[in-house]
Amino acid sequence: MQKLKILVVDDVEENRKLVQASLKDYDIDLIMAQNGQEALDKLKNIKVDLILMDLRMPVMNGYEAANIIKK
């Protein structure tokens, strides 16, 4: 069985670290991104099982990124 892959998208480093700390005891690959555009760039090369995304971020917000991902 493959490891679960979760993309965590948040412009606040402390929030990304909080998710990482909360899930450290589980066998999960966490991929981090700082904004929606970075998330889209990562999704071109990586298939993930779950995306945890902030909605308000610079460069590209979570609303825009989610709409693009849905398409």
Side-chain angles (χ1 to χ4, degrees):
M1 185 173 164
Q2 290 187 345
K3 285 174 111 174
L4 183 68
K5 290 184 184 177
I6 298 176
L7 176 60
V8 180
V9 188
D10 198 311
D11 59 316
V12 179
E13 183 179 7
E14 288 78 24
N15 292 343
R16 293 191 311 270
K17 286 181 178 181
L18 177 64
V19 172
Q20 193 171 30
S22 298
L23 299 175
K24 69 178 170 48
D25 294 332
Y26 299 94
D27 193 26
I28 297 173
D29 278 338
L30 293 176
I31 298 103
M32 302 292 180
Q34 296 182 26
N35 59 63
Q37 184 60 58
E38 188 177 328
L40 293 176
D41 293 343
K42 289 180 183 282
L43 288 171
K44 290 178 185 176
N45 301 314
I46 301 168
K47 184 180 179 203
V48 298
D49 300 294
L50 178 69
I51 300 171
L52 300 175
M53 184 163 15
D54 186 15
L55 295 176
R56 294 180 294 171
M57 298 177 288
V59 181
M60 179 185 291
N61 67 43
Y63 294 109
E64 289 178 81
N67 284 329
I68 293 169
I69 292 167
K70 287 178 189 178
K71 292 178 183 176

